[in-house]
Amino acid sequence: MTEAEFAKEVRSLTLSGIYFLYGDEDYLKNHYIRDACEKFVSSDPMASFNLIRLDYGEGECRLDEIENALSAPPMMSPLKLIVVSFSSFDSIKVKDALNELLSAHADEGSMAVIVKASCGGVDYGNVKTPSARLKAMEKFAKCVRFDYKEPSKLFSWLSRHAADYGVKLSPAAGDYMMRTCGRSMYTLSGEIGKVSAYCAQNGIGEIGVQECMLCCSRVDEDDAFGLANALTAGNTSEAYAILGVKIRLRQDPYMLLGQIAKTFTDLAAAALFISDGRDSSDYAKAMKMHPYRAESMYRSAKSASYAYFMNAVDLCLTADRNMKTMGNRGYGEIELLIARLSPAMFTEPEEDEDKKDENESKDTDNSRGEIRQGKALERN
């Protein structure tokens, strides 16, 4: 089940069956649960009997308590809502028994059960290869994954929060906040609140990078775009720090490499558009990209040459080939990739003056072909 489908059922209060909420973004999980509970309370005069919330810490799970909640029929109402939250779902020792209990009540139309697994508390694998635990839940539950939102959606959300204080958020400031404070909506909601209140108090109509630097706190978070940005800026140590976060989060190295290759491919395309004298709106239209993300790509692409980005794409292809043909080298190959992508290791290729004019006429067509080759990594 998609987030949009789940949100629609929450808004219309047509929830039924078992729901399993998982993924990195706890803010949205709690938002929808709170919304569902508020709508349920306002629509059911017997909500004090029919709304049951159970919260369990690490290793905790009281099957008898959950069974009592599931077994009792709704009190003078067509629906009962049960919310079960686990801070560390994988630490539960009775997961199989819990699945058995939940599956036995999955088809009861008079009851909706929302099971929430907090971020980091469950190993759900990845999109291509879900974990065994997630596969088991999918047999009887509607599983809804909550990932970090993409930058364009986060920028719109941050802008709405800033507007509550009567100030605007500049694109550069939004980009800085996401690179510095991470993409967790819980973290960003606090940071945008701080900087918005500061600007409103001091008569500053638009939040800029300077105000963010003054008010916002840095948070280490995984981000392939941030990793590429760090390398482009010559900050190899920051790139390794971001990789360290990826390793701690146990992200699949093949998926990570695909994200890095996709980012450099997009940056190479942006550099090509810049060299042609076209602006970010042309780039956004051609790449079918949100204007905000396109502008971020343009700003990053201006910090290095097209040759650097295409060299990065070539190195990503080499790393991908090595990972698939030389055994499970995983993160080690990505560490080598970062070292090779250091600007200090890259020299702009020299071109023979006699061939320069001839090659310039072929650059545009060849470049697009190379960019399409780089994008193949993400699909694989």
Side-chain angles (χ1 to χ4, degrees):
M1 179 180 240
T2 66
E3 179 189 333
E5 292 169 337
F6 178 65
K8 184 178 180 180
E9 291 192 12
V10 169
R11 284 194 299 269
S12 59
L13 202 60
T14 54
L15 297 165
S16 178
I18 313 292
Y19 300 83
F20 181 60
L21 313 187
Y22 69 100
D24 294 325
E25 190 51 84
D26 282 340
Y27 182 96
L28 288 174
K29 297 176 206 168
N30 293 330
H31 165 76
Y32 288 121
I33 289 173
R34 183 174 61 251
D35 197 16
C37 291
E38 288 175 355
K39 288 183 181 297
F40 185 79
V41 168
S42 64
S43 66
D44 186 356
M46 301 297 289
S48 56
F49 294 96
N50 294 322
L51 175 59
I52 302 171
R53 299 199 62 163
L54 305 172
D55 297 282
Y56 299 108
E58 185 169 353
E60 294 179 342
C61 179
R62 291 185 55 186
L63 290 176
D64 57 337
E65 192 173 44
I66 297 173
E67 185 172 13
N68 289 337
L70 293 170
S71 301
M75 177 74 71
M76 300 175 63
S77 174
L79 180 68
K80 178 171 64 174
L81 178 60
I82 303 170
V83 179
V84 187
S85 300
F86 295 97
S87 66
S88 180
F89 190 79
D90 276 351
S91 68
I92 301 171
K93 296 180 180 179
V94 290
K95 287 190 284 288
D96 292 336
L98 175 63
N99 283 2
E100 236 178 86
L101 180 59
L102 291 172
S103 62
H105 294 271
D107 297 326
E108 294 185 16
S110 62
M111 178 172 57
V113 182
I114 301 176
V115 180
K116 186 196 78 173
S118 295
C119 170
V122 57
D123 177 15
Y124 48 83
N126 54 57
V127 176
K128 290 185 177 180
T129 54
S131 67
R133 181 56 51 198
L134 184 58
K135 286 181 179 178
M137 293 294 291
E138 287 176 339
K139 291 178 181 178
F140 61 86
K142 304 168 189 176
C143 297
V144 189
R145 177 170 173 158
F146 291 89
D147 289 321
Y148 289 135
K149 289 296 181 184
E150 58 192 60
S152 58
K153 292 182 179 179
L154 280 178
F155 178 74
S156 299
W157 178 77
L158 287 169
S159 297
R160 292 196 297 272
H161 276 257
D164 291 339
Y165 291 83
V167 297
K168 294 180 179 180
L169 178 67
S170 71
D175 187 46
Y176 175 86
M177 284 190 69
M178 284 178 265
R179 285 189 289 107
T180 304
C181 308
R183 290 181 295 161
S184 166
M185 293 173 77
Y186 266 125
T187 302
L188 287 172
S189 64
E191 298 302 321
I192 191 63
K194 284 192 297 183
V195 70
S196 297
Y198 171 81
C199 290
Q201 179 68 28
N202 291 277
I204 302 171
E206 184 177 68
I207 302 170
V209 173
Q210 185 175 353
E211 288 73 35
C212 290
M213 292 176 69
L214 183 65
C215 300
C216 297
S217 304
R218 181 178 182 82
V219 174
D220 289 326
E221 193 177 82
D222 61 310
D223 184 13
F225 182 65
L227 192 151
N229 259 342
L231 287 169
T232 305
N235 193 343
T236 307
S237 60
E238 183 176 352
Y240 278 119
I242 294 172
L243 177 61
V245 176
K246 295 277 192 180
I247 293 172
R248 289 197 298 275
L249 292 175
R250 295 179 297 175
Q251 180 168 348
D252 184 272
Y254 293 96
M255 180 180 291
L256 172 57
L257 180 59
Q259 292 171 349
I260 295 171
K262 173 65 165 58
T263 301
F264 276 119
T265 300
D266 289 343
L267 287 169
L272 190 61
F273 272 70
I274 291 170
S275 67
D276 287 347
R278 288 179 282 179
D279 60 24
S280 61
S281 61
D282 294 328
Y283 174 72
K285 185 177 180 180
M287 302 292 287
K288 298 180 180 179
M289 188 180 291
H290 190 280
Y292 172 77
R293 180 166 177 78
E295 184 60 36
S296 297
M297 284 289 177
Y298 247 56
R299 284 196 297 270
S300 297
K302 289 176 181 177
S303 60
S305 67
Y306 169 75
Y308 171 78
F309 293 125
M310 285 313 303
N311 178 63
V313 172
D314 288 339
L315 288 174
C316 286
L317 290 169
T318 300
D320 180 67
R321 184 165 55 249
N322 290 344
M323 287 172 68
K324 292 174 179 176
T325 60
M326 300 175 67
N328 186 21
R329 297 176 58 155
Y331 292 112
E333 193 63 40
I334 298 177
E335 288 174 344
L336 287 173
L337 173 67
I338 291 175
R340 291 165 181 156
L341 284 172
S342 169
M345 300 291 290
F346 176 70
T347 304
E348 290 284 350
E350 294 182 3
E351 192 169 16
D352 189 348
E353 289 294 329
D354 294 334
K355 296 182 179 180
K356 186 174 182 180
D357 292 336
E358 179 185 348
N359 289 341
E360 279 181 353
S361 64
K362 299 179 181 178
D363 277 347
T364 301
D365 291 338
N366 290 342
S367 299
R368 286 174 174 76
E370 289 170 339
I371 288 170
R372 285 193 294 271
Q373 183 186 16
K375 284 187 175 179
L377 264 180
E378 188 187 24
R379 291 194 296 271
N380 293 335

